[in-house]
Amino acid sequence: MTDQTHPLTLYNSLTRTKEQFVPQDPKRVTMYNCGPTVYSYAHIGNARAAVVADVLFRVLRHIYGEDAVVYARNITDVDDRIIQSSKETGFPISEITEKYARIYNEDLAGLNCLAPTHQPHATKHIDDMIAMISDLIEKGNAYESDGHMFFDVSTYEAYGALSGNTLDALRGGDRVGEGEVARKRNAADFVLWKPELHGVGWDAPFGRGRPGWHIECSAMAKATLTETLETDVIDIHCGGVDLKFPHHENEIAQSCCANNEDKFANYWVHNEFLNMGSEKMSKSLGNVTLVHDLLKEWDGEVIRLALLKAHYRSELNWSEDLLRESKAQIDGWYRSLLLRKKELGDFYSDKSDSHFINMTNLLFDDLDTPEWIGGVSDFSEKSTEEFESVISIITENNWERNSTNLAGAIGVLKAFLGTFHILGLLQKDPEEWFKGNTSSDDQAEFDAIAKRRETARAAKDWPAADAARDEAKALGIVLEDGPEGTSWRKA
Ligand code: AMP
Ligand code: ZN
C-alpha cells in the first residue's frame, strides 16, 4: 500500500474482491460481529472468529483512533438449545446464560481480546425485534403461517448476493424440514417469530412468542450502531464462513427491507474454519477443544499467536505442535525483550517511524498476520542494515554479536514490537512472562538461587556458579546471565 491516508484493504465477501477500506465516517467506524449462543463453553474455532474480529478492531483503532471505532458483538441469550438445557438441568435460563456469557468474556480476555464497545443481549432488545418485524409485516415482506411469522424471500429480489444462493438457485431446493416447507410460501423463507416454548415468550402484536435467530442480529446492529445516524448501513460485518448462508443472507434481506437501504454492511469479512484433523471443529461433530481448557495449560498469547499463524481466509489446522511452535517463537521474542528491556523503555513505536509504517502495512493488507509473523525476510531485503541486524538478533537471540548497530537496531525492534502491540501480543512484562504461574515462595527461592550464581560469577567462583545453575536445572528453571546480572525463567 502506498496511500497512507487509507492504508487498509479487506477482502469483501460481498464483492468477492480485496478492496480498499473506506468508512462512511472516519470519526465513527462501525463493525458488528455475530456473538455466541450462551449455553456452553466456547471452543477454539469460535475463538478464531472472535480473535480475527479483535485484530480488525485493533487495526481500525490504530488507524482511526480508539474512540472512533464502534464494535458490537452480541450475546444470543434466547435460543431453543438454551431453553432445552434449562429444562434438562433445572437451572433457570438466566442462570445458564449469565454463567456462559461471563465465561465467554473471561476466555476471550484471556486471549487478549479487547471488550467490544457494545455487547447487546438479545433478551434486552426484544422490543427492537418486534418493531422491525412489525415494519416488515407492514411493508409486505413478512407473513403469518401456523403461529409463526416468516420473511417472504420472494419480496427481496437481491436475495443471495452474498452467498450465491439466489432465489433462482434456491427454487425447488429442499433446505428445510418438510413440516416447515408446508408452512412456508417459499422453501427459503425463514422464521422471524415463533410461538413460545416451555413458557418462554414475549407479547407482540402478532402473537406471544420468541424471535428467530436472524432477526436478533439485524435489530441489535441497528440499536447499537446506527439508531442515531442518518444511515442504517454499517461499515463492516464479520463472522465465520459458515454464517454466510443462511444467517448473513437473511440478516441482509430483513435489514435492507426494514431499513429501506440497498445494503446492510459495506464490507463483509468472513473467517475460514479452524479444523481438527480433516474436519471443521464443531459441537455437533463432537471434536471440540475448549478455550477454557486450553487456557489452563497454555498462556493466552501462545494460543492467540497460534490462531494468527494462518491467514484468516485460510483454514487453520489445530494441533499441539502448532501451540508448541507458537510458544517457542513467543519465548524467543520475550527473551529479546528481556535482554534489552532497559534500552527499549516504553516500546510502543512512533506512528510516523518508517520501519513501523512498513511493518504495519503488512497487517493493513487484508490482515495478513502470517505474512507479518513470518515475513520478516521480506523486510530484510528492503530495509536497512540495522533492521537486518535486529532480525538476526530476534531470530538468533544473539545480542552481543550485533551490538555495533545497537541504537538503530533498538529503533527497529521498537517498531517491530509496536506492531505486536497492535496485534495484541507481547502485552506482558517479559519477567512476568518467564515467571508465569510460579508461587511467591518458589519465586523467592528461584531469586535466591539466581543471586547466588550472580555473586559467585562476580567473585569468579566458577564451581559455586555451576552449582547454582545445576540446582536451578533440577527445579525446572534456567538461569540466564546478562549485563544486569543473573535472572531465571521457567525451562
Ligand atoms: P456459533 O456459536 O456456532 O454461532 O459460532 C460463533 C462464531 O464462531 C461464528 O462466527 C462462527 O462462524 C464461528 N465458528 C464456529 N465454528 C468455527 C470453526 N470451526 N472455525 C472458525 N470459526 C468458527
Ligand atoms: Zn448474526
Side-chain angles (χ1 to χ4, degrees):
M1 283 301 308
T2 48
D3 180 355
Q4 295 302 331
T5 50
H6 293 292
L8 179 64
T9 58
L10 291 173
Y11 182 86
N12 188 350
S13 308
L14 190 62
T15 57
R16 296 169 183 80
T17 51
K18 196 153 84 174
E19 296 173 4
Q20 185 160 19
F21 174 68
V22 183
Q24 299 165 102
D25 176 1
K27 293 199 186 65
R28 195 177 189 285
V29 183
T30 49
M31 64 181 273
Y32 187 88
N33 187 19
C34 301
T37 304
V38 281
Y39 66 102
S40 64
Y41 289 91
H43 62 70
I44 189 67
N46 301 138
R48 184 180 195 197
V51 167
V52 165
D54 182 65
V55 167
L56 178 56
F57 183 39
R58 285 170 175 273
V59 165
L60 293 170
R61 281 158 58 99
H62 171 74
I63 298 172
Y64 298 99
E66 290 189 0
D67 297 334
V69 189
V70 192
Y71 170 27
R73 185 186 65 217
N74 71 291
I75 293 280
T76 292
D77 58 353
V78 51
D79 176 272
D80 289 7
R81 289 163 296 182
I82 299 173
I83 299 169
Q84 199 55 38
S85 166
S86 165
K87 217 173 135 39
E88 281 165 17
T89 61
F91 288 113
I93 285 179
S94 61
E95 215 170 289
I96 295 172
T97 57
E98 278 163 26
K99 173 183 167 188
Y100 288 109
R102 177 180 49 76
I103 292 171
Y104 182 79
N105 286 336
E106 285 169 2
D107 285 351
L108 289 193
L111 300 181
N112 285 356
C113 288
L114 299 171
T117 325
H118 299 291
Q119 192 167 44
H121 286 58
T123 52
K124 301 279 185 308
H125 288 272
I126 300 289
D127 286 353
D128 295 316
M129 297 170 207
I130 291 174
M132 196 174 260
I133 297 169
S134 301
D135 195 14
L136 290 169
I137 295 169
E138 208 169 293
K139 287 175 175 154
N141 299 111
Y143 61 92
E144 192 273 337
S145 175
D146 194 21
H148 294 59
M149 296 304 308
F150 287 103
F151 185 92
D152 182 344
V153 292
S154 70
T155 64
Y156 182 59
E157 263 182 38
Y159 192 87
L162 177 70
S163 64
N165 291 302
T166 59
L167 293 178
D168 269 352
L170 287 170
R171 205 150 282 139
D174 183 21
R175 294 192 165 268
V176 279
E178 282 189 7
E180 284 217 317
V181 175
R183 286 201 292 258
K184 296 180 189 181
R185 291 181 188 163
N186 317 286
D189 289 353
F190 55 91
V191 75
L192 297 165
W193 192 257
K194 44 195 174 179
E196 64 179 348
L197 178 67
H198 300 308
V200 178
W202 289 262
D203 288 325
F206 32 84
R208 189 172 167 77
R210 61 210 157 94
W213 171 38
H214 315 302
I215 196 74
E216 294 181 11
C217 287
S218 286
M220 286 188 272
K222 183 171 177 161
T224 53
L225 298 177
T226 61
E227 194 96 274
T228 57
L229 309 181
E230 274 176 26
T231 174
D232 274 316
V233 181
I234 58 174
D235 287 313
I236 305 173
H237 196 309
C238 327
V241 277
D242 55 329
L243 299 189
K244 247 193 222 178
F245 183 83
H247 184 54
H248 290 163
E249 205 70 81
N250 294 349
E251 283 186 18
I252 292 173
Q254 63 206 2
S255 286
C256 287
C257 292
N259 299 337
N260 302 316
E261 301 276 9
D262 59 2
K263 274 185 184 167
F264 176 29
N266 281 328
Y267 300 84
W268 286 83
V269 174
H270 287 106
N271 67 275
E272 253 302 341
F273 288 144
L274 178 146
N275 297 326
M276 201 65 159
S278 56
E279 282 177 326
K280 176 200 166 191
M281 185 179 285
S282 85
K283 279 175 203 146
S284 55
L285 292 171
N287 60 354
V288 298
T289 299
L290 303 179
V291 186
H292 205 69
D293 291 338
L294 281 170
L295 280 168
K296 288 180 196 154
E297 228 185 303
W298 301 89
D299 190 281
E301 291 198 3
V302 171
I303 302 169
R304 188 174 172 97
L305 179 65
L307 288 171
L308 296 179
K309 272 177 165 280
H311 190 272
Y312 78 89
R313 284 193 290 119
S314 303
E315 293 185 5
L316 171 67
N317 292 321
W318 194 251
S319 68
E320 280 273 318
D321 279 351
L322 180 70
L323 283 161
R324 270 195 286 271
E325 199 184 289
S326 304
K327 168 138 183 10
Q329 209 161 8
I330 225 165
D331 275 347
W333 293 328
Y334 267 114
R335 201 156 300 134
S336 304
L337 263 183
L338 190 63
L339 290 173
R340 284 293 173 262
K341 201 177 159 194
K342 220 162 106 199
E343 290 92 334
L344 282 167
D346 174 14
F347 70 70
Y348 192 71
S349 187
D350 174 5
K351 276 190 190 178
S352 60
D353 177 275
S354 63
H355 294 301
F356 184 65
I357 290 171
N358 285 340
M359 286 185 239
T360 45
N361 278 349
L362 280 184
L363 287 183
F364 296 157
D365 179 13
D366 194 26
L367 312 180
D368 200 341
T369 52
E371 184 68 17
W372 186 84
I373 292 165
V376 281
S377 55
D378 243 30
F379 278 125
S380 58
E381 272 176 38
K382 296 176 206 150
S383 60
T384 62
E385 201 190 327
E386 288 93 328
F387 188 81
E388 285 180 17
S389 81
V390 87
I391 292 310
S392 65
I393 291 163
I394 290 164
T395 50
E396 293 170 22
N397 268 316
N398 189 350
W399 284 92
E400 302 316 322
R401 233 194 298 151
N402 294 281
S403 56
T404 40
N405 286 323
L406 198 55
I410 290 288
V412 180
L413 184 58
K414 277 193 179 194
F416 190 73
L417 296 172
T419 49
F420 266 117
H421 193 78
I422 301 177
L423 278 173
L425 291 167
L426 299 199
Q427 307 285 288
K428 294 202 165 127
D429 182 274
E431 275 170 24
E432 292 308 311
W433 174 264
F434 288 113
K435 290 181 180 173
N437 296 327
T438 308
S439 72
S440 53
D441 281 355
D442 282 350
Q443 286 209 24
E445 187 182 354
F446 300 161
D447 285 345
I449 298 170
K451 192 76 202 161
R452 269 210 299 285
R453 178 166 167 94
E454 193 180 309
T455 313
R457 271 170 59 86
K460 299 200 178 346
D461 180 354
W462 307 121
D466 286 350
R469 194 197 48 214
D470 294 345
E471 195 183 338
K473 197 173 167 199
L475 292 169
I477 59 167
V478 176
L479 295 184
E480 286 181 336
D481 306 311
E484 306 273 299
T486 301
S487 59
W488 63 266
R489 65 175 172 84
K490 290 206 150 183

